[in-house]
Amino acid sequence: MSHEPSLSQTQAATNFSEPAPLHATTRAEIDSSLRFPVLLFFRTALFWLLLGSILCAITSFKLVMPCFLDGICFLSYGRLLPVALDALLYGWAVPAGLGISLWLVARLCGVPLRCSKMLIAAAIFWNTGVFLGSLGVLCGYGSSIPWLEYPNWASVPLFIAFLLMGIWVVMLFTARQPRSIYITQWYLLLGLCAFSWLYTTANSFLTWGSVEASAQGPIVAWYSANIFGLFLIPLALGIIYYLIPKITGAPIYSYYLAVLGFFSLLFLTGWSGMTLFLGGPIPAWMVSASVVATVLMIIPVIAVILNFAKMLQGQMGVIKESPALRFVAFGILSYLVAMVMSLIYALPTWNGILHFTNYSHGIMLLTLLGTVSMVFFAGIYYIAPRLLGFSWLCACSVRWHFWFAVIGLSLMTVSAILGGLIEGLALDDAAVTFVNVLSFAAPWHWLNLIAWMLLLLSYVSFVRLFGRMLFHATHPDQKLSACSFNSLASVS
Amino acid sequence: MNRLRPLFITIALLFFTGWIGFVAYSYLQLGRLAPQSDSDGSLPPFQSGSAIRGAKVYAAEGCMTCHSQQVRQTSVTRSDIDRNWGKRPSVARDYLREQVAFLGASRIGPDLSNVGVRATDSAWYYRHLYEPATEVPGSTMPAYRYLFKMQKIQGQPSEEAVALRGPHAPREGYEVVPTEEAKDLVAYLLSRKQDYSLPEVPPVPEK
C-alpha cells in the first residue's frame, strides 16, 4: 500500500478542521472490514453501467433506424429508453456513489466497519429493486413519470436499501474518532440526507399517487433537477475535495470559498429546475424563481471550481500520471460546461429555441456521464487498489477508458448544442413542417450514436480491467500483464 | 465546523425552502384547483372509462419520451399556436381529470395536447399506430403492431378490421383487428382536447 499524504500537513494554510492521518493499522482494519460490501457495490454498479449503455446505444440506433428491432413490445423505444436511463442512474451512479461514500465516511470518521451484513443486505435490496423495476417497465407496467418510471412496488426494496445505508452512516458519524468534520463529509451528509428526502417526497406524492395531476409538473421538475443537483453532484464534489489533497498533497485553497460554494449550491439548487417547464402549465412565479436561481448558480460553480483549479495549479505532471486525478480533472471541466449549458437553457430567449430539443437531454447526459460518472470512476481508481492490496494491472486499459469516454462525451455535447440549436430553430418556425424538423435533427442523432459506441468501448475496457483485478485478487499466482507500469503503481 | 447537529439543521432548513416553495405549494394550491362550472357542465370535461384505461397504455408504452402534452406560449415563442397544436397555452387546471400529467420535455414527435381536435377518425389512429410511416411519410415513430392481432377471416370480415395498404398488410383471407389496449389508447388520444376556455387563460389572438 502506498504512502498516504496527510490532509493535515496543509492545516497551516487553512483553518479547515481536517482529520489527522489515521494510523496504518486502523487504515488496514477499515479497508479489510469494507472490502466485501464496497466491492459488491462496485461490481453491481458496473453491471448496470454496461447494460444501461448498451440499451442507450440501441435506443439511439432506433432513432436513426426506426425499423431496427421493431414491433417487439419489450424492445420498443418508449420502454427501452426509461429502462436504460434508470439503469444508468439507479443501477450505476447511485450504488457507485454510495460505495465510494461509505469508504470515505469510514476513513474520515476513522472507525472500522461494524454490521457489514447490513450493507450487504442493502446492496442486495437495492439491486433487487432496480432489477424488478426495469423488468416491470419492460413488461408494460411503467408509470412514465420522469426518473420514477419503475412500477410503485419496485420502490419498496429501493427504499429499504436506502434506509439500511442511512442508519449505517448515522451510526458511523456518531461514532467518529476525530470530532471535526471535513468538507467532504459535509457534501456526503448533504447528498445522503437530500436523497432520502427527495426519494420519500417524490414517491409519496407521485408514484403512490396522492397528488392531483395539476400539481405534478412542479414536483417532477423539482425531483429530476435535485436528484442530480443535490444528490449526485454533492457526492462528486465531496469525492473531489478528498482526492485532490490526498493525491497532490496540495492544501485546500480557500476555506471561505469552500463554505460559500457549499451553502450557495445547497440553497440555489433547491430553487432551480422549473426551467424544464418554462412557458408550460405551472405558475409563472415558479419559473421566474428558477431562472434567477439557475443564473445565480454561477456563484457556487465559480467558488467550487476556483478552489479546485488553485489546488490543481502546477500539478500537470501528477494529473498525467494518476489515473484518478485525470478523471477528476475531466469531471471538473464537464461540470463547468454542463452548468454553463443549463444557465443558457434557463434564459427565456434561448429556452424558447432550445426547449423540447435534444439540448436538455444532452445537459442531463453530460452531468450524469461527464461530471458524476467520471468523478466516480476516479473514486474507484483510488479506492479499489486499497481494498485489494495491489495497484491497477494495465495502464493501456485506463487510457482507453479515459480517452474513449472523453471523445464520446465531447461528440455527445457537440451534438446536443449544435443539433439542439438547429432543431430548435426549425421547431420554432411554424412554416417548417414537423417531419422536416425531424430531418434537421437526423444527422445529429447519427453523431449521438457514434458517441454512444465510443462510450460503450470506454466502459467495456474499464469493466474488463476491473474484472481482471478481481480475478487477480482471488488467483494471485497468475502471471501479470506486461503493460502494467510503475508510474500508475506509485500513485494508486 | 466541529458539530454535526448545527450542520445538519442548516442543511435541512436550506433544503426545505425549495421544498416548501415548489412541493408544498404545488400540493396545497395546484392540487386543490376546482373544476370550472359552465353552462355545459364542468370543465375540463370528464373522461370515459376507456380513455382512463388508455392513459395506462400511454404510460406503459412510454409515449411521453417523444410526445409532450403542453401547449407552450412565452413572450418569445408562439410556434405551438402557429403550428395549430392548440388555440391557447395549457394551464395547470387542464390536467385536473388525469391520473398522471404526461407533460413531457422532448418533442421527437408532435405535441398531443389537442390531437383529438386535429384528427377525429379512429380508423386513422389504428392505421397510424400499426404502420406510422405509411400514414406520415418520414415519421420516425415505432410501429405498435403488438397492440393488434392478426386473425383468419371467419365468414364475414370483422367490422373492426383495420384497412391497411403498406408492406405489413395482412395476407389474403386474414385481417388485423385492434386489441382492447389499442382501443383504449385511441379513446384516450381522441379525448386529448383543450378546446374549451378557462378564465385564467385568455384565447390567443390570430396573427
Side-chain angles (χ1 to χ4, degrees), chain A residues 143-160:
Chain A
S143 69
S144 266
I145 301 167
W147 296 118
L148 295 166
E149 286 94 348
Y150 291 158
N152 51 14
W153 36 264
S155 65
V156 177
L158 291 177
F159 199 81
I160 296 173

Side-chain angles (χ1 to χ4, degrees), chain A residues 190-485:
Chain A
L190 164 61
L192 298 172
C193 293
F195 184 77
S196 41
W197 284 321
L198 283 165
Y199 200 66
T200 313
T201 302
N203 269 301
S204 49
F205 280 98
L206 297 170
T207 357
W208 292 95
S210 55
V211 66
E212 298 284 333
S214 50
Q216 285 170 2
I219 303 178
V220 163
W222 174 84
Y223 179 74
S224 40
N226 288 358
I227 192 74
F228 289 98
L230 283 181
F231 174 52
L232 292 174
I233 294 283
L235 290 193
L237 294 179
I239 293 166
I240 300 177
Y241 268 118
Y242 184 85
L243 289 181
I244 296 181
K246 280 285 182 188
I247 296 173
T248 64
I252 285 192
Y253 169 68
S254 163
Y255 168 77
Y256 298 107
L257 278 180
V259 173
L260 171 73
F262 179 81
F263 287 110
S264 53
L265 175 118
L266 165 53
F267 179 70
L268 293 172
T269 309
W271 282 94
S272 61
M274 297 302 133
T275 48
L276 185 68
F277 293 132
L278 205 155
I282 66 171
W285 71 263
M286 286 189 180
V287 174
S288 309
S290 275
V291 172
V292 175
T294 313
V295 173
L296 286 180
M297 274 298 284
I298 203 73
I299 293 168
V301 171
I302 289 175
V304 162
I305 289 183
L306 191 65
N307 233 344
F308 292 155
K310 284 285 180 186
M311 286 151 83
L312 286 174
Q313 210 169 33
Q315 304 278 7
M316 209 51 207
V318 191
I319 295 179
K320 276 187 190 148
E321 260 182 26
S322 157
L325 209 54
R326 180 193 298 204
F327 280 84
V328 163
F330 186 77
I332 297 171
L333 183 70
S334 39
Y335 182 48
L336 182 65
V337 175
M339 292 314 286
V340 171
M341 279 172 80
S342 52
L343 192 153
I344 292 170
Y345 182 70
L347 301 175
T349 328
W350 287 94
N351 186 284
I353 296 164
L354 295 171
H355 196 24
F356 297 121
T357 68
N358 199 21
Y359 185 85
S360 54
H361 194 66
I363 299 178
M364 184 277 293
L365 283 177
L366 185 63
T367 310
L368 180 60
L369 300 174
T371 317
V372 171
S373 298
M374 291 302 253
V375 175
F376 288 178
F377 285 134
I380 297 178
Y381 273 119
Y382 186 81
I383 293 170
R386 286 174 167 71
L387 291 177
L388 293 168
F390 53 91
S391 62
W392 291 95
L393 298 174
C394 176
C396 320
S397 301
V398 180
R399 282 198 207 103
W400 285 345
H401 176 207
F402 181 73
W403 286 110
F404 277 134
V406 168
I407 299 169
L409 287 167
S410 311
L411 289 182
M412 198 175 269
T413 310
V414 168
S415 147
I417 295 174
L418 292 180
L421 205 57
I422 290 171
E423 191 188 345
L425 286 170
L427 198 58
D428 196 37
D429 182 359
V432 183
T433 62
F434 193 81
V435 170
N436 266 333
V437 173
L438 291 181
S439 65
F440 279 110
W444 305 100
H445 288 153
W446 277 104
L447 192 62
N448 234 356
L449 177 63
I450 296 168
W452 269 114
M453 291 298 172
L454 291 172
L455 281 175
L456 206 54
L457 283 177
S458 154
Y459 298 151
V460 165
S461 62
F462 181 63
V463 170
R464 196 173 149 265
L465 176 63
F466 194 80
R468 282 182 57 200
M469 292 282 285
L470 293 179
F471 182 78
H472 183 68
T474 47
H475 305 81
D477 46 336
Q478 296 281 325
K479 206 166 163 277
L480 278 181
S481 153
C483 72
S484 81
F485 73 110

Side-chain angles (χ1 to χ4, degrees), chain A residues 17 62-63 66 70-73 76-79 81-82 137 140-146 173-174 176 179-181 186 189-190 193-194 197-198 201 205 210-219 222 226 230 255 262-263 266-267 270-272 274 276-283 285-286 289-290 348-349 351-353 355-357 360 423 426-435 437-438 445, chain B residues 1-5 7-8 10-33 56 58-66 68-80 82-83 85 89-111 136-147 168 181:
Chain A
S17 333
K62 275 170 166 280
L63 266 188
D70 193 19
I72 307 165
C73 60
S76 72
Y77 182 86
R79 294 190 193 182
L81 189 67
V137 177
Y141 297 98
S143 69
S144 266
I145 301 167
F173 259 101
T174 46
R176 69 189 185 282
R179 301 309 296 170
S180 58
I181 304 176
W186 293 27
L189 190 68
L190 164 61
C193 293
W197 284 321
L198 283 165
T201 302
F205 280 98
S210 55
V211 66
E212 298 284 333
S214 50
Q216 285 170 2
I219 303 178
W222 174 84
N226 288 358
L230 283 181
Y255 168 77
F262 179 81
F263 287 110
L266 165 53
F267 179 70
W271 282 94
S272 61
M274 297 302 133
L276 185 68
F277 293 132
L278 205 155
I282 66 171
W285 71 263
M286 286 189 180
S290 275
T349 328
N351 186 284
I353 296 164
H355 196 24
F356 297 121
T357 68
S360 54
E423 191 188 345
L427 198 58
D428 196 37
D429 182 359
V432 183
T433 62
F434 193 81
V435 170
V437 173
L438 291 181
H445 288 153
Chain B
M1 180 82 75
N2 286 338
R3 294 168 63 201
L4 194 59
R5 196 170 298 159
L7 177 64
F8 179 79
T10 317
I11 289 177
L13 288 177
L14 286 176
F15 182 89
F16 272 114
T17 60
W19 190 87
I20 289 166
F22 291 153
V23 178
Y25 178 88
S26 298
Y27 178 71
L28 295 174
Q29 203 265 328
L30 299 178
R32 292 179 185 176
L33 287 173
K56 293 219 161 56
Y58 190 90
E61 299 307 332
C63 306
M64 208 247 350
T65 51
C66 297
S68 59
Q69 280 194 36
Q70 46 167 319
V71 180
R72 174 180 64 148
Q73 193 209 6
T74 68
S75 53
V76 289
T77 178
R78 49 167 285 155
S79 60
D80 289 12
D82 294 340
R83 279 185 188 279
W85 283 349
S90 305
V91 290
R93 201 156 21 165
D94 285 322
Y95 303 86
L96 215 52
R97 306 290 186 205
E98 320 274 322
Q99 288 288 315
V100 178
F102 300 109
L103 299 179
S106 174
R107 280 179 181 166
I108 298 172
D111 188 85
V136 183
S139 165
T140 55
M141 184 168 133
Y144 289 92
R145 287 192 290 279
Y146 55 85
L147 294 179
H168 292 286
E181 284 174 327

